[in-house]
Amino acid sequence: MPQLFPSTASIGPLCVMDARRKFSCADFVDKYIKENVSMTKKIVKIIGVEEHVVFPDLFARLEQESHAWNVFTARTQATTVGLAKIRSTTVGEQRLKDMDDSGVAMQVLSTVGAVNSTHCPKHDPKEGVRLARDINDAMKAAVDTNPTRYKAFAELPFHEPEEAIKELHRCVKELGFLGAMLSGSVCGNGRYLDSPEFDAVLSAFEELDVPLYLHPGVPPKAVWDTYYKIQDKPVLSAAFGLAGWGWHSEVAIHLLRLALSGTLDRHRKLKIIVGHQGEMMPPMMHRFDTIYNPPAAFGLERPVTEMLRSQVWVAISGFFSIPPTMTLIATWGVDRVLFANDYPFVAADKVQDYIRRLGDMVSPLDLEKICHRNAESLLRLES
């Protein structure tokens, strides 16, 4: 393993105060770390499991007069999102450079999540089926540009369960995809996967032994109008209802519905991924054990936390803050933590600093688990 920091002997003579140069030992070490942080890229392999791409010509086929579309359009007015849009449309030189510079060996690609194929025009539900297939074909072409650096999660027309099953089988068996992602509720109107109409879809994930990634989406309009709409401030409302709070709550609610409804008990081999350091749930794990106790009193076969820890993996997703990570590890277990940059919406140049700080808090083996080994095991990737 390369030496991350110089020995005391090598920097000792420089660690002196100099009134004229205003230079100290702390200054030197800080300068040394900044100049040599690239060395950390050689220490641990990194796989990002939530990295987004958009295909503008396909995206244009979505319902553009819908609540979800209007909210998403308002959100893209924010400067940070606008800059990310430039990088989200390519898997070429710029993305690979960002990956190289940040030490990311592989990205698992997925479509941008706020609006998806289940949001197609209401008068033609089959357009969502066609759109999902076209997105997946485009995603396969993107992966094929550099198959050692890119893998993919499928887009599925969940609003047509039988078609979703067919497309999942095609994507996994023929296209080599690693699973699928659903953003928000089905059609964006509060239809969650705990409904019995989706049982066969969830069984297909179990049969194929691939994970379902529950990504945030736009909350249903009734919820939006009550909780997140701030009068005459559409951009602020969009930030509040999406990445600033609302859509993290949406994922937590979706996942808890799967647990509390008995869906996870019916589908014990189902593997789920959620992002953003657990979508606000890790601090609530103790509360779940307290409130839903004893499980039998609520018609549950297992404690809620047992369901979550045994069937759910959690990605970092650009939440590059150590305290939430340590809470996640303490409540969920390090074997269920995955790395994700949430590219391009979180700058790739933040990755190495986070990995270095995390390496100060966990063992080298646990750092490897988070950065790549857990993903390799879950997604059945070659190490």
Side-chain angles (χ1 to χ4, degrees):
M1 180 177 293
Q3 185 179 5
L4 277 180
F5 305 107
S7 66
T8 304
S10 65
I11 67 171
L14 295 174
C15 292
V16 294
M17 293 300 295
D18 186 320
R20 292 169 300 175
R21 297 166 63 189
K22 293 185 173 63
F23 193 77
S24 68
C25 179
D27 295 326
F28 177 80
V29 171
D30 183 62
K31 180 174 182 291
Y32 185 93
I33 291 172
K34 289 179 178 177
E35 291 179 350
N36 293 274
V37 70
S38 62
M39 295 173 66
T40 63
K41 299 173 190 175
K42 301 176 182 178
I43 293 175
V44 61
K45 176 182 178 182
I46 301 175
I47 297 174
V49 300
E50 186 188 323
E51 320 304 339
H52 298 297
V53 63
V54 64
F55 308 104
D57 56 329
L58 299 177
F59 200 69
R61 289 162 53 183
L62 293 166
E63 174 63 73
Q64 298 189 17
E65 299 299 326
S66 67
H67 158 66
W69 181 272
N70 292 334
V71 169
F72 184 70
T73 301
R75 174 60 179 150
T76 58
Q77 301 305 308
T79 303
T80 52
V81 176
L83 293 174
K85 285 169 63 179
I86 299 171
R87 281 173 157 80
S88 67
T89 58
T90 176
V91 292
E93 183 177 341
Q94 183 61 61
R95 184 180 292 250
L96 289 169
K97 181 180 185 302
D98 290 342
M99 291 171 65
D100 290 340
D101 289 347
S102 60
V104 173
M106 179 184 292
Q107 287 188 349
V108 182
L109 303 176
S110 53
T111 54
V112 173
V115 188
N116 56 62
S117 61
T118 71
H119 292 233
C120 276
K122 295 178 181 179
H123 65 272
D124 186 8
K126 293 300 182 182
E127 169 60 7
V129 177
R130 294 188 292 269
L131 179 59
R133 188 179 182 95
D134 290 345
I135 288 173
N136 291 326
D137 287 343
M139 191 73 77
K140 171 61 173 173
V143 170
D144 285 347
T145 65
N146 203 322
T148 63
R149 304 297 298 275
Y150 299 134
K151 302 297 179 185
F153 287 129
E155 171 81 7
L156 298 183
F158 283 93
H159 61 296
E160 296 281 341
E162 291 185 6
E163 296 295 338
I165 293 170
K166 293 177 184 177
E167 185 63 5
L168 179 61
H169 276 266
R170 184 181 81 94
C171 287
V172 173
K173 293 181 176 180
E174 298 178 21
L175 305 186
F177 287 8
L178 305 179
M181 176 179 283
L182 171 63
S183 297
S185 59
V186 177
C187 299
N189 62 11
R191 290 168 64 196
Y192 296 103
L193 297 181
D194 61 294
S195 173
E197 67 181 302
F198 299 113
D199 267 342
V201 180
L202 299 182
S203 293
F205 279 92
E206 293 179 283
E207 175 191 345
L208 293 167
D209 193 21
V210 294
L212 165 64
Y213 202 125
L214 295 181
H215 184 276
V218 179
K221 189 176 188 308
V223 175
W224 185 273
D225 289 344
T226 301
Y227 288 163
Y228 304 120
K229 185 177 180 179
I230 299 175
Q231 193 67 32
D232 300 324
K233 294 186 176 181
V235 176
L236 177 60
S237 297
F240 178 32
L242 297 182
W245 184 264
W247 69 5
H248 304 295
S249 176
E250 274 291 294
V251 176
I253 289 169
H254 196 163
L255 184 56
L256 282 173
R257 290 183 67 96
L258 290 172
L260 296 173
S261 66
T263 303
L264 292 185
D265 275 332
R266 293 198 306 274
H267 299 278
R268 294 201 178 202
K269 293 182 180 180
L270 179 64
K271 298 174 180 178
I272 295 173
I273 306 173
V274 298
H276 308 108
Q277 300 235 33
E279 309 291 10
M280 306 190 292
M281 286 187 289
M284 292 292 293
M285 295 289 268
H286 176 264
R287 188 70 163 174
F288 298 156
D289 278 337
T290 303
I291 298 301
Y292 304 113
N293 183 50
F298 298 89
L300 303 175
E301 298 178 15
R302 295 177 290 167
V304 171
T305 54
E306 180 183 329
M307 297 184 217
L308 298 180
R309 291 190 183 106
S310 63
Q311 292 184 244
V312 181
W313 282 252
V314 180
I316 301 298
S317 303
F319 274 35
F320 293 150
S321 175
I322 297 302
T325 307
M326 300 313 294
T327 300
L328 170 60
I329 292 171
T331 56
W332 225 281
V334 72
D335 290 338
R336 289 293 187 264
V337 183
L338 309 169
F339 180 82
N341 186 165
D342 203 355
Y343 183 96
F345 300 103
V346 177
D349 61 10
K350 300 180 184 296
V351 170
Q352 281 300 317
D353 177 65
Y354 171 75
I355 296 299
R356 179 176 59 82
R357 288 184 289 118
L358 182 59
D360 290 337
M361 302 297 295
V362 302
S363 71
L365 178 58
D366 284 348
L367 186 64
E368 288 186 356
K369 287 182 177 181
I370 294 168
C371 288
H372 69 97
R373 293 195 184 280
N374 290 342
E376 288 167 342
S377 175
L378 174 63
L379 303 176
R380 293 179 292 169
L381 297 167
E382 294 183 3
S383 59

